[in-house]
Amino acid sequence: MDSEIYMDLDTVIHRLDPRTKIFMLAVFFVLILYFQNPLWVLPISLVIVLLGVISRSLVNLKRIAYIMVILTISGMVMWTLFSSGKTTLFWIIKLEAVEYAASRTLVMLSLITTGIIFLSTTRNEEFIIGMIKFGLPYRVGFAISTALRLVPTLVASVSIIGQAQRSRGLDLDSGNIIQRVRKFVPLLIPVFISTIRSTNIFGMALESKGFGARPDRTFYLDPRMQTRDYITIAILVALFAAVTVIKIQGYGNIPGLVRF
Amino acid sequence: MLTQQLTKAPKETAAGEPVIAIHDLHYRYRGAKKYALDGINLEVPKGTFLFVMGPSEAGKSTLAATFNGLIPHYHKGKFVGDVIVMGRNTRQQTVAQLAEQVGMVFQDFEAQLFSTNVELEVAFGPENYAVPREEIRKRIDECLRLVGLEEVRHRSPSTLSGGQKQKLAIASVLAMHTPILVMDEPTTDLDPISKVGIFEIANQLKERAENTLVIVEHETEEALNADQLLMLKEGQIFKLGPARELLRDVRLFEELGVMPLPIPKYFQAMGVADPPLTVEEGVRRFQAQGWRFSEEKHNQLVMQDAERAQNTGQTLIHCEELELVYPNGFKALHGVSLDIHRGEMVAILGQNGSGKTTLVKHFNGLLYPTAGKIEVDGHPTREQGIFQLGKKVGYVFQNPDHQIFSDTVFDEVAYTLRLRKQPEEMIKKAVAEALEAVDLAGFEKEDPFSLTKSGRQRVAVAAVLAAQPEIVILDEPTTGLDYAEQRSMMDLVKELNRRGNTIIFVTHHMWVVAEYAQRVFVIKDGKVYLEGTTREVFSHEDELREAYLRPPHLVSFSNRFGKTMLTLDELVGCTEKGS
């Protein structure tokens, strides 16, 4: 039904210029990776969550809640097992390793949340025009936006084809690994064929609307940097500088952590 | 007799010089053996509304694709002859250059929309031609007003209904201000009133003298407003002439394999030489002739309906206040209550997005209600589960390409039985029977993908039949087929019903309902809005219109005299030529 991530709301974040939002995305992607200690990562995560609250886009996380839970569990387990330290908590589990696992998991979840907030507040077209204003060629931008557009289409066709084959008795949830893999054939072939078919029509529709007809094209969307954009960028730069200084000073590490 | 004037285009049309001229065009798709277009000569004068009809594989869409250069530039292949558009040969132009002259709307409204906002969708074409921003803004206003989508201008296209999406596709092409507009089966996937909406737009465009309009369509009723009618058959021009003149000639349509207009067909069956075309004209002629419908014979028909209703078996599907809320919070069903009995042939109708497909998906356990009750064969569906229910209920999806995956027709049809681990002997027998039923015996070794759409549809039906379900659900079994194929598909379904299967079908084709359904449920806004025998439901024309439906011409015609008749035979049988 409704497979789009973008939410048509009118919040402070939505109103920002796409360039500001792209910059914001980049800043948080870097900052979140600075620290080892979860207590140092946490404030940055909280700022991200705050942005999510302001833009009212956290509901979109519900749709991938299942994936996030799996990532949390597997992240905690893996990083705990694959790192070490000197303070034994119990058995072979070290305190430093648990701390590190917590921070890595937090980083992962924060990255996803940042991405979701960005996609929830930025139209596909705005993202592309933002990138073009940063110097990306239009055709490349359009290719990216088409790829993004393909995801919901694919999800929809997998869902309907899955229903068709289940009606015919296909049970994907039983059998051993090899049997299960073979069961995907009735799904994959129709998915490929219908995707190729709709891509073909998409190509015809594009050509028929004069895609690439002129070297210069008009962009109907015309984002302009406003005062709020300059203020936001100033805050982001200050935040980035401050956190970078703290990082260079050597804060936020886990002493005694051993990574494999 | 018909005057055969096969390849000669009319020269005397007053409107002006031809905007499209085609000289001796032959075209063969790459890898195909047969020519899709085989010697076409055609001139389309400026300002014409040209309607193109023909059976499947006649070359209609192929011809349309030559107008804006998709053939030969996008679809490579063997291309002989010339297509001259606005004085320029399409060979020497790119599609993007031609797109300034020829706008193109496709059947598949999902695949041709790609923006996240209605306004941006309309802006896309003009943007490519570097139209200034202010001018684009004006065009957006103008085009959205014309197609009636101003109120949804800030919505995302994916949230629109099917009819709205197709209107948006038209607006996005109109915004390019092309002198020629081509629509390739724009209404195939739409409900009857949305269809009318698209054709109202077409008629508005027709009024503008500078616009040339070409529409490829299956719906004969809509050809009434066209200036010229082009009939194609096997890649050649079968007949070209003024639309209203050709429409009177019922035999011509039958020869071509396209549905003739029902009103002239009736009057011709009654022995009138120059039949009227529309319902209005028909009513006037009927009165002028002094004919009337026999009260007694009509009552007999109503009695027969009642008798048949009494003779149906016990309840097979029972719904009570069925509700469904999708995980995203969208409520698709608002309390549906209905009963379907063993041995019935039931049609489920409704506007695009009314919830009819959602409803039938409950019948085989693809969906479970979020509130209310549904029982199939006396037990709640949730207890039976989809795999248990699958043995009783077969479901043929709308698009056969959503399920076909095997290398041979035999494997495809045997799929369900093999999953159920039936003995190979029994599978062979069941597959043979199923293929026999769909008239595909002898095709066992064929690759299903090499068949036509109608052939693939039959494979999909056979695959369901082989599992020998008691109930067969068909979701839009006739969409995308031509008249002859629709008839043979529905005759097949009727035969299944005669042999004891309970049939439930969802459709937008009203004549199919009139001729084949015994009972009808009309779904509107997730509720049962009308139910009864086909005759009862089709007598409520005003209520049907509320649900975005309208009965076929023949039924409307009889309704005007206070009696509802469903088929030509009934109509002819009840007519009394006064003394």
Side-chain angles (χ1 to χ4, degrees):
Chain A
M1 207 57 231
D2 146 42
S3 43
E4 255 174 56
I5 301 176
Y6 177 74
M7 299 172 68
D8 197 4
L9 298 172
D10 189 28
T11 70
V12 188
I13 312 278
H14 281 80
R15 280 195 293 265
L16 288 177
D17 189 282
R19 282 163 286 185
T20 314
K21 282 185 265 193
I22 294 172
F23 181 62
M24 190 188 278
L25 181 77
V27 165
F28 281 102
F29 267 32
V30 174
L31 290 185
I32 197 79
L33 292 168
Y34 273 181
F35 301 115
Q36 282 181 351
N37 191 323
L39 293 177
W40 287 84
V41 177
L42 193 62
I44 303 171
S45 299
L46 287 178
V47 174
I48 293 171
V49 170
L50 181 68
L51 288 174
V53 172
I54 294 172
S55 63
R56 287 190 274 154
S57 51
L58 291 180
V59 283
N60 263 331
L61 289 177
K62 269 196 217 158
R63 293 154 56 149
I64 51 164
Y66 179 68
I67 300 172
M68 293 178 75
V69 169
I70 290 184
L71 281 177
T72 307
I73 295 167
S74 58
M76 284 305 292
V77 172
M78 299 302 272
W79 269 298
T80 308
L81 293 179
F82 286 98
S83 50
S84 184
K86 37 188 188 187
T87 326
T88 305
L89 217 50
F90 59 91
W91 191 40
I92 54 162
I93 307 297
K94 308 286 186 194
L95 175 64
E96 289 83 0
V98 174
E99 281 178 353
Y100 185 61
S103 86
R104 289 304 95 178
T105 308
L106 197 55
V107 165
M108 216 161 44
L109 297 180
S110 303
L111 286 174
I112 294 173
T113 310
T114 315
I116 291 284
I117 293 171
F118 181 75
L119 292 176
S120 309
T121 56
T122 319
R123 284 181 194 286
N124 212 339
E125 287 88 348
E126 288 175 331
F127 172 50
I128 300 309
I129 188 107
M131 294 301 284
I132 289 167
K133 296 236 166 176
F134 279 132
L136 188 81
Y138 171 64
R139 280 169 180 273
V140 178
F142 191 83
I144 297 173
S145 99
T146 307
L148 286 175
R149 195 194 77 100
L150 202 62
V151 176
T153 321
L154 260 177
V155 171
S157 76
V158 167
S159 147
I160 186 142
I161 289 163
Q163 288 190 342
Q165 304 298 32
R166 282 204 301 142
S167 303
R168 300 174 70 193
L170 176 69
D171 179 6
L172 288 171
D173 304 324
S174 69
N176 62 35
I177 291 282
I178 295 164
Q179 283 169 335
R180 281 199 199 192
V181 170
R182 282 187 51 186
K183 281 182 181 171
F184 274 94
V185 173
L187 284 185
L188 289 180
I189 291 178
V191 168
F192 279 133
I193 286 178
S194 68
T195 308
I196 288 169
R197 201 186 132 269
S198 66
T199 311
N200 192 28
I201 296 172
F202 174 65
M204 291 201 284
L206 267 190
E207 293 251 350
S208 305
K209 284 188 192 167
F211 178 72
R214 299 265 193 286
D216 294 317
R217 85 193 284 280
T218 315
F219 291 96
Y220 180 65
L221 281 183
D222 184 28
R224 299 272 166 86
M225 298 292 270
Q226 309 283 337
T227 321
R228 58 172 169 262
D229 290 299
Y230 295 115
I231 295 173
T232 311
I233 289 173
I235 295 173
L236 286 170
V237 170
L239 182 72
F240 185 77
V243 181
T244 306
V245 168
I246 294 172
K247 164 79 180 166
I248 292 169
Q249 300 281 321
Y251 291 98
N253 288 329
I254 303 174
L257 174 74
V258 181
R259 280 185 287 174
F260 297 139
Chain B
M1 261 322 288
L2 323 167
T3 41
Q4 291 285 338
Q5 215 189 1
L6 287 185
T7 51
K8 209 84 185 106
K11 286 264 158 35
E12 70 286 273
T13 324
E17 76 281 9
V19 286
I20 302 172
I22 299 178
H23 304 301
D24 205 24
L25 175 67
H26 297 259
Y27 175 74
R28 194 177 62 197
Y29 283 97
R30 193 159 52 186
K33 293 187 199 83
K34 258 183 64 188
Y35 276 89
L37 295 175
D38 200 3
I40 302 277
N41 285 288
L42 178 71
E43 284 184 3
V44 184
K46 187 175 174 187
T48 318
F49 177 2
L50 176 72
F51 210 83
V52 183
M53 303 196 80
S56 294
E57 320 263 302
K60 308 181 294 291
S61 297
T62 311
L63 181 66
T66 63
F67 294 167
N68 75 341
L70 282 174
I71 290 175
H73 300 296
Y74 190 86
H75 296 289
K76 308 271 195 274
K78 189 164 166 54
F79 184 86
V80 185
D82 292 299
V83 179
I84 315 289
V85 173
M86 306 293 283
R88 281 181 282 185
N89 193 320
T90 57
R91 278 172 200 278
Q92 275 104 47
Q93 305 270 308
T94 64
V95 178
Q97 282 169 329
L98 284 162
E100 261 188 301
Q101 314 295 337
V102 185
M104 186 95 162
V105 177
F106 299 88
Q107 175 192 336
D108 187 333
F109 46 73
E110 304 288 346
Q112 60 184 319
L113 302 178
F114 38 84
S115 303
T116 58
N117 164 300
V118 167
E119 286 188 355
L120 290 173
E121 191 68 58
V122 180
F124 183 79
E127 280 181 326
N128 287 327
Y129 290 98
V131 174
R133 196 170 286 131
E134 262 319 301
E135 168 69 16
I136 295 182
R137 192 162 294 140
K138 263 191 245 156
R139 291 193 190 179
I140 292 175
D141 289 341
E142 167 205 308
C143 295
L144 288 181
R145 195 173 334 115
L146 186 91
V147 301
L149 289 182
E150 290 152 298
E151 275 156 34
V152 297
R153 60 189 303 156
H154 296 295
R155 295 246 303 265
S156 157
S158 65
T159 64
L160 302 180
S161 73
Q164 288 176 319
K165 281 181 186 168
Q166 194 57 286
K167 284 181 181 172
L168 174 59
I170 294 174
S172 73
V173 170
L174 287 178
M176 291 161 68
H177 281 190
T178 58
I180 305 168
L181 179 64
V182 181
M183 301 198 212
D184 187 3
E185 303 194 23
T187 69
T188 299
D189 298 325
L190 300 180
D191 56 68
I193 297 286
S194 298
K195 272 186 198 192
V196 174
I198 300 295
F199 282 102
E200 272 166 7
I201 296 171
N203 289 331
Q204 259 176 289
L205 295 174
K206 185 186 127 183
E207 298 306 316
R208 304 177 173 181
E210 72 277 12
N211 276 325
T212 305
L213 191 60
V214 180
I215 298 189
V216 176
E217 255 297 329
H218 281 300
E219 297 283 320
T220 314
E221 291 181 7
E222 303 303 343
L224 278 163
N225 293 310
D227 302 317
Q228 295 277 311
L229 179 61
L230 172 66
M231 296 167 137
L232 286 180
K233 192 174 189 178
E234 290 168 5
Q236 294 178 336
I237 294 183
F238 178 73
K239 188 84 187 167
L240 172 68
R244 291 183 66 90
E245 207 171 281
L246 295 190
L247 282 167
R248 274 178 225 283
D249 199 338
V250 173
R251 230 173 334 168
L252 200 60
F253 281 83
E254 275 163 357
E255 224 175 292
L256 182 67
V258 170
M259 186 173 185
L261 272 188
I263 299 291
K265 194 172 174 184
Y266 163 69
F267 278 91
Q268 225 165 46
M270 295 302 298
V272 172
D274 59 328
L277 292 175
T278 63
V279 173
E280 283 307 320
E281 291 170 22
V283 169
R284 260 181 272 135
R285 178 68 71 85
F286 189 85
Q287 286 162 342
Q289 297 272 12
W291 297 351
R292 35 185 235 97
F293 287 120
S294 156
E295 197 73 45
E296 185 192 335
K297 285 183 179 159
H298 180 254
N299 285 342
Q300 268 175 18
L301 292 172
V302 177
M303 296 270 285
Q304 279 169 17
D305 286 356
E307 230 168 83
R308 190 166 57 187
Q310 279 189 342
N311 286 340
T312 53
Q314 78 259 48
T315 303
L316 208 49
I317 297 177
H318 173 71
C319 300
E320 234 176 272
E321 290 301 314
L322 199 68
E323 286 185 14
L324 184 87
V325 182
Y326 279 108
N328 66 7
F330 175 71
K331 193 167 183 183
L333 298 180
H334 294 255
V336 173
S337 301
L338 57 79
D339 282 298
I340 293 171
H341 309 104
R342 179 161 282 146
E344 278 190 313
M345 185 148 169
V346 174
I348 300 199
L349 314 181
Q351 190 192 355
N352 293 91
S354 59
K356 52 193 190 315
T357 299
T358 304
L359 173 65
V360 294
K361 279 182 181 165
H362 283 82
F363 297 167
N364 79 331
L366 275 173
L367 294 173
Y368 298 118
T370 41
K373 204 161 90 172
I374 167 152
E375 288 175 354
V376 172
D377 208 9
H379 302 283
T381 54
R382 208 184 286 270
E383 278 172 23
Q384 306 184 64
I386 181 164
F387 300 115
Q388 204 57 37
L389 272 171
K391 292 176 186 167
K392 286 181 214 151
V393 188
Y395 193 125
V396 182
F397 273 68
Q398 182 185 345
N399 187 348
D401 298 336
H402 280 157
Q403 48 184 290
I404 291 178
F405 67 95
S406 307
D407 294 336
T408 68
V409 169
F410 183 90
D411 288 343
E412 189 65 42
V413 177
Y415 175 66
T416 303
L417 295 172
R418 284 189 178 147
L419 280 177
R420 293 198 192 134
K421 308 240 178 349
Q422 304 283 352
E424 199 62 25
E425 273 312 301
M426 194 231 130
I427 292 181
K428 271 204 185 116
K429 193 164 153 280
V431 171
E433 277 175 17
L435 287 176
E436 189 72 43
V438 300
D439 213 11
L440 277 180
F443 283 81
E444 286 84 352
K445 296 264 176 301
E446 297 279 322
D447 179 349
F449 292 108
S450 69
L451 303 175
T452 60
K453 167 96 196 270
S454 136
R456 299 200 297 279
Q457 189 94 301
R458 283 165 179 278
V459 171
V461 174
V464 165
L465 289 185
Q468 288 158 345
E470 191 180 348
I471 305 170
V472 180
I473 301 172
L474 301 110
D475 193 354
E476 309 210 11
T478 51
T479 296
L481 305 183
D482 70 20
Y483 179 59
E485 291 166 345
Q486 290 175 348
R487 270 228 175 271
S488 76
M489 173 58 66
M490 288 315 293
D491 285 340
L492 157 69
V493 173
K494 193 177 174 185
E495 176 60 22
L496 294 176
N497 177 248
R498 209 187 51 76
R499 286 201 229 156
N501 286 104
T502 305
I503 307 284
I504 299 162
F505 65 99
V506 173
T507 189
H508 285 318
H509 288 129
M510 294 300 124
W511 72 268
V512 168
V513 178
E515 296 207 12
Y516 293 93
Q518 296 166 1
R519 275 208 309 147
V520 172
F521 293 96
V522 176
I523 309 295
K524 189 185 173 217
D525 303 329
K527 276 193 192 131
V528 176
Y529 177 68
L530 281 177
E531 71 165 290
T533 63
T534 309
R535 197 178 307 282
E536 285 162 8
V537 169
F538 274 180
S539 68
H540 294 86
E541 234 169 286
D542 292 338
E543 286 89 342
L544 284 173
R545 198 166 302 118
E546 289 289 303
Y548 282 75
L549 304 171
R550 58 165 193 178
H553 274 185
L554 218 53
V555 180
S556 283
F557 174 71
S558 65
N559 275 341
R560 295 288 291 269
F561 298 96
K563 303 185 176 58
T564 308
M565 279 163 266
L566 300 172
T567 64
L568 182 67
D569 290 344
E570 289 185 8
L571 213 55
V572 172
C574 288
T575 310
E576 285 179 342
K577 293 187 177 182
S579 43

